[in-house]
Amino acid sequence: MSYDCELRQRAEQAVDMYFENVKQDPYFPGYHLAPPSGLLNDPNGWIQWKGRYHLFFQWMPFHTGHGAKFWGHFSSRDLVNWRYEPIALTPADWFDKSGCYSGSAVNADGMLKVFYTGNVKDEQGNRETYQCLAESADGFHFEKKGVKVRLPEGYTPHFRDPKVWKHEDQWYMVIGAQKLDKKGCAVLLKSAGLEDWTCIGVLSHANAEPLENLGYMWECPDLFSLNERDVLLFSPQGLEADGIDYNNHYQSGYVIGTVDYETAAYKHGKFLELDRGFEFYAPQTTLDDNGRRILIGWMGVPDQNEAEQPTVPNGWVHQMTLPRKLELRNDKILQHPLDEMKLLRIGEAIDRQFDRKYQTSISKTSEIDINGDIESLNIFGYADLYFNQAEGVLTLERPSYVNGIKETRSCCLPSGLNRLHIFVDHSSLEIFVNDGEEVFTSRMFAPNGNDSLTINTNKSSHVQIWDLKNDTIHIR
Ligand code: FRU
């Protein structure tokens, strides 16, 4: 048996062994993507191809730590009902033996082609990095085509996570990198036919806020155009917390500007965080057949108390965010739940106009939409959200899952707070603030037995609450 077959078999055996336990975990999501066993991290290869949406993911099937990653695979026709598919890539070759790391997918010549980083580490922990290609004629079975890009001069082997797209009949790739002076950056490459790649250079800081000073390594860059502006998304490592900003272990955000595709010069505005919650990292976007720029992120952060997550004893850890539609308005990215998410709703909404206080019980899979002058909110007696009107600051508070001590994440809302649109799924919360002006994405490990929702407002307000489906991820 080939090593590839052996690894596939072992991973499937791990799923057989763990999944019964995993799915009985009350924290396992009902409509978010999570691993059938082990650890899930970055979304990869996110694409709508021949009608079907494909989402691959960084996966360690055997345990809840990191290591030689596989590409796991989910697919969906409607972005609500997802099917777990056979493994796409195994770390079975010399150029990816320590992990088929993150990457992206394109449609080329009728084939689904994925670029990913082959990670190779020797016994001393020295790292080599290769950007590799694999392709599929049916979207499910992949054939590896080997190494397409080797490490260029000027960078350390922290050079990974290729995102590929087409711009004016030419293919481009952006790679997350670290320069020899240990500064994080993104590198732009080009190719006529996806085989031979030329390095154009570092997407460089052409104005007052140099990207130069944003950490020691950038992971998972994504460059795309939105409203005719060039948005660079990336996840920098090494930023210091600064007031309410950069409070997670690593960050994830974007700059907006204009790229010169000939020289990689990039004139851009300041770096903004994409999400204000506790767990969000390595998002990837795709442009779907309806022309929507859709983002999915990892609801986790590397090295941020991952081993202490309460699901670890049950054999799994982490999940994805919901897919979100991006909109660019006033030099800022807004994020919206997709219209398809309405398919999750069961039955009629609770629909109430209320005066100052509303209390009810909700299911573990719920959608809550509040319009009004909101003061505070409590979910399951566990997570609090409160708005300080004088300072214009919205704060999410929860007990740390490590030691129970209260911890907070906050954002500024210069024009106040008028809407909260919340998706609750067993152990996660996604809070869309003011029609997507900000989002808080967080895990929520509330003890069982408290189903309460309490909303306090300053005036008469309106709330709608839906019970959502609890079974849209079909693993077995
Ligand atoms: C981001 C990341 C990527 C890498 C992958 C490995 O979370 O570290 O840079 O490709 O995860 O799983």
Side-chain angles (χ1 to χ4, degrees):
M1 197 191 331
S2 71
Y3 186 44
D4 172 70
C5 284
E6 189 188 320
L7 281 178
R8 270 168 211 274
Q9 261 190 15
R10 280 179 45 207
E12 286 309 323
Q13 280 163 4
V15 174
D16 290 341
M17 210 161 79
Y18 291 113
F19 185 58
E20 275 309 303
N21 232 353
V22 167
K23 78 169 180 225
Q24 279 165 25
D25 185 341
Y27 289 141
F28 198 73
Y31 59 94
H32 282 79
L33 295 169
S37 70
L39 176 145
L40 164 152
N41 57 304
D42 315 352
N44 292 157
W46 174 216
I47 192 168
Q48 184 178 19
W49 187 73
K50 300 194 173 167
R52 182 171 275 278
Y53 291 91
H54 294 265
L55 185 78
F56 304 85
F57 59 96
Q58 285 289 287
W59 187 27
M60 169 41 73
F62 308 123
H63 56 80
T64 52
H66 291 272
K69 298 288 167 61
F70 290 60
W71 271 38
H73 185 188
F74 286 104
S75 86
S76 171
R77 283 236 163 248
D78 60 7
L79 294 165
V80 168
N81 293 287
W82 291 88
R83 208 166 68 189
Y84 169 72
E85 305 290 358
I87 290 162
L89 300 174
T90 64
D93 287 276
W94 71 264
F95 48 79
D96 60 18
K97 71 182 172 73
S98 313
C100 298
Y101 272 13
S102 285
S104 57
V106 291
N107 179 14
D109 315 319
M111 301 287 280
L112 180 60
K113 301 198 178 190
V114 301
F115 284 87
Y116 67 98
T117 298
N119 187 46
V120 175
K121 272 188 189 164
D122 69 14
E123 266 136 42
Q124 285 78 47
N126 299 315
R127 192 187 284 261
E128 288 163 32
T129 176
Y130 302 99
Q131 314 313 315
C132 312
L133 172 66
E135 53 185 51
S136 170
D138 63 3
F140 301 103
H141 304 88
F142 286 82
E143 196 184 325
K144 289 186 187 171
K145 296 287 178 185
V147 177
K148 298 293 157 189
V149 178
R150 286 171 185 266
L151 181 63
E153 263 178 41
Y155 308 96
T156 77
H158 285 287
F159 190 84
R160 57 178 169 267
D161 310 337
K163 177 82 192 320
V164 179
W165 72 104
K166 197 179 229 177
H167 172 78
E168 293 174 357
D169 289 334
Q170 176 92 27
W171 293 102
Y172 290 89
M173 180 188 281
V174 64
I175 297 184
Q178 179 179 63
K179 291 193 287 186
L180 293 177
D181 63 4
K182 302 281 159 72
K183 286 185 171 168
C185 68
V187 180
L188 187 66
L189 297 89
K190 71 174 176 187
S191 169
L194 295 172
E195 290 294 323
D196 302 313
W197 289 87
T198 316
C199 192
I200 305 175
V202 173
L203 275 169
S204 61
H205 42 85
N207 68 358
E209 287 262 350
L211 292 174
E212 277 267 320
N213 301 322
L214 278 177
Y216 56 79
M217 169 61 191
W218 294 5
E219 297 190 311
C220 301
D222 187 350
L223 179 61
F224 55 89
S225 108
L226 197 59
N227 273 11
E228 290 163 22
R229 309 287 301 283
D230 296 317
V231 177
L232 178 67
L233 262 184
F234 56 104
S235 295
Q237 302 189 317
L239 303 191
E240 297 281 318
D242 180 9
I244 61 171
D245 293 332
Y246 312 155
N247 282 195
N248 287 338
H249 193 70
Y250 300 125
Q251 274 53 58
S252 196
Y254 62 96
V255 293
I256 300 172
T258 311
V259 170
D260 180 337
Y261 275 83
E262 294 293 307
T263 62
Y266 188 28
K267 206 170 158 63
H268 60 82
K270 66 172 195 286
F271 178 75
L272 293 174
E273 283 179 270
L274 248 187
D275 196 281
R276 310 299 308 190
F278 292 93
E279 280 92 13
F280 182 87
Y281 195 72
Q284 187 173 92
T285 73
T286 193
L287 190 65
D288 81 345
D289 294 348
N290 296 316
R292 300 179 294 184
R293 179 59 60 176
I294 306 178
L295 171 143
I296 293 189
W298 171 32
M299 211 185 283
V301 178
D303 306 329
Q304 185 173 286
N305 304 320
E306 294 183 76
E308 274 86 40
Q309 289 236 356
T311 64
V312 164
N314 289 319
W316 70 285
V317 67
H318 304 309
Q319 65 179 56
M320 294 298 176
T321 69
L322 288 178
R324 304 162 180 184
K325 186 181 141 185
L326 302 187
E327 183 197 351
L328 195 141
R329 209 190 287 167
N330 301 332
D331 282 337
K332 191 172 160 64
I333 288 185
L334 309 193
Q335 300 177 64
H336 307 288
L338 299 177
D339 283 345
E340 282 92 335
M341 297 305 116
K342 292 180 184 153
L343 298 171
L344 287 167
R345 296 172 181 171
I346 307 172
E348 291 292 298
I350 295 176
D351 193 314
R352 295 268 192 291
Q353 191 71 34
F354 65 97
D355 199 27
R356 287 176 177 263
K357 188 176 187 107
Y358 182 73
Q359 202 156 17
T360 188
S361 58
I362 57 169
S363 104
K364 296 283 185 215
T365 51
S366 307
E367 178 184 349
I368 307 156
D369 197 356
I370 314 163
N371 281 271
D373 191 350
I374 304 154
E375 190 180 86
S376 66
L377 176 123
N378 177 285
I379 296 183
F380 301 155
Y382 173 91
D384 284 294
L385 196 67
Y386 43 86
F387 184 54
N388 180 329
Q389 208 145 24
E391 287 170 14
V393 173
L394 179 65
T395 298
L396 173 66
E397 183 178 289
R398 72 173 185 190
S400 152
Y401 59 74
V402 179
N403 54 25
I405 294 172
K406 296 274 185 190
E407 52 186 4
T408 60
R409 293 291 183 270
S410 300
C411 72
C412 282
L413 300 175
S415 321
L417 172 63
N418 54 55
R419 182 176 178 205
L420 291 174
H421 189 179
I422 304 175
F423 288 82
V424 177
D425 188 0
H426 292 269
S427 60
S428 70
L429 267 181
E430 276 162 285
I431 305 170
F432 296 84
V433 181
N434 291 350
D435 294 312
E437 179 182 337
E438 301 288 353
V439 187
F440 287 83
T441 302
S442 288
R443 300 303 299 277
M444 169 177 63
F445 299 108
N448 245 335
N450 185 329
D451 294 333
S452 69
L453 167 72
T454 309
I455 308 166
N456 296 299
T457 61
N458 296 310
K459 293 195 197 86
S460 169
S461 298
H462 183 216
V463 63
Q464 287 178 295
I465 301 170
W466 291 267
D467 188 11
L468 300 184
K469 289 181 184 163
N470 192 15
D471 55 357
T472 64
I473 315 295
H474 308 287
I475 290 180
R476 281 284 146 94

